[in-house]
């Protein structure tokens, strides 16, 4: 009896794998190229010729073409607060939490050091405290004030915070009800 000879088909498997790899690479190239290529409007042939003729006639009329420079985009309008002579800011939070009056302040300028002097005024100065200035990314803030409310009368208080750093100073005002 004669044995059948078995044909080795490994080469066929590898050829098919390589063809699939090449097809995938070509598809990826066209997708990549189409995605990042500048999109240009495709105009009908008649419209393209009209536009070209119009451009040629305009070029004959105006031989000198002056390109306009793009205007710079101003991201932020207004003055730079760091160049001001006085310090400015705002009371970002003033409210009662438990047995404490919490007061937080943001200063518009960037400062490395200094002090914040808090005065709570009802008819006269009812409470005073001092905190250090802490710098943050582009501005500064007072460390914060936690005022015990057990020594304060109920009612409306004016918040007056005197901020000083180096040769600059300013006042930040606000109000709070206890």
């Amino acid at each position: 009896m004669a044995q059948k000879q078995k044909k080795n088909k490994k080469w066929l498997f590898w050829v098919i794998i390589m063809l699939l790899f090449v097809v995938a690479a070509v598809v990826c190239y066209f997708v990549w190229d189409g995605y990042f290529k500048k999109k240009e409007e495709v105009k009908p042939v008649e419209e393209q010729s009209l536009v070209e003729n119009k451009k040629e006639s305009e070029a004959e009329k105006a031989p000198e073409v002056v390109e306009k420079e793009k205007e710079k985009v101003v991201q932020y309008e207004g003055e730079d607060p760091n160049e001001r002579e006085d310090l400015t800011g705002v009371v970002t939070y003033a409210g009662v939490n438990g047995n404490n009056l919490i007061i937080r302040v943001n200063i518009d300028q960037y400062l490395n050091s200094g002090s914040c002097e808090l005065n709570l005024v009802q008819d006269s100065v009812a409470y005073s405290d001092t905190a250090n200035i802490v710098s943050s990314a582009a501005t500064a803030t007072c460390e914060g004030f936690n005022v015990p409310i057990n020594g304060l009368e109920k009612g409306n208080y004016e918040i007056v915070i005197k901020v000083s750093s180096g040769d600059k100073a300013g006042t930040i005002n606000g109000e709070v009800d206890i």
Side-chain angles (χ1 to χ4, degrees):
M1 233 200 237
Q3 281 187 336
K4 279 189 176 180
Q5 216 175 14
K6 207 176 190 185
K7 291 187 179 182
N8 190 357
K9 296 185 181 182
K10 276 188 174 181
W11 66 272
L12 184 60
F13 172 76
W14 287 109
V15 168
I16 291 172
I17 294 294
M18 289 302 288
L19 282 173
L20 289 173
F21 181 73
V22 169
V23 168
V26 169
V27 168
C28 286
Y29 170 76
F30 284 119
V31 168
W32 183 270
D33 187 49
Y35 183 74
F36 288 107
K37 189 177 184 181
K38 284 188 176 179
K39 307 281 184 198
E40 295 180 6
E41 287 185 42
V42 178
K43 297 179 182 177
V45 176
E46 294 175 6
E47 192 176 324
Q48 283 180 352
S49 63
L50 289 174
V51 170
E52 288 172 6
N53 290 339
K54 186 176 179 181
K55 285 181 182 176
E56 288 174 6
S57 64
E58 287 176 1
E60 290 172 4
K61 290 179 186 175
E64 256 184 62
V65 178
V66 178
E67 291 185 26
K68 293 182 179 178
E69 291 184 29
K70 290 185 178 179
E71 292 181 24
K72 289 186 177 181
V73 177
V74 178
Q75 186 174 1
Y76 302 106
E77 293 183 12
E79 296 178 15
D80 181 4
N82 290 318
E83 294 176 3
R84 292 181 60 117
E85 292 182 19
D86 60 336
L87 298 176
T88 59
V90 65
V91 175
T92 56
Y93 180 78
V96 176
N97 187 2
N99 291 329
N100 288 324
L101 170 63
I102 309 293
I103 300 173
R104 299 296 182 255
V105 179
N106 190 43
I107 302 168
D108 296 332
Q109 291 79 12
Y110 178 79
L111 304 170
N112 286 323
S113 63
S115 65
C116 301
E117 181 186 333
L118 166 70
N119 288 313
L120 290 178
V121 181
Q122 196 166 34
D123 290 325
S124 61
V125 175
Y127 182 85
S128 290
D129 195 7
T130 304
N132 292 324
I133 290 178
V134 179
S135 63
S136 62
T139 61
T141 184
C142 296
E143 281 182 338
F145 299 99
N146 296 336
V147 180
I149 59 171
N150 58 3
L152 299 174
E153 293 181 20
K154 292 192 184 260
N156 185 289
Y157 285 87
E158 181 182 359
I159 300 170
V160 179
I161 301 174
K162 294 177 183 174
V163 183
S164 62
S165 176
D167 60 345
K168 292 185 177 184
T171 303
I172 301 171
N173 296 309
E175 286 186 9
V176 67
D177 285 320
I178 298 178

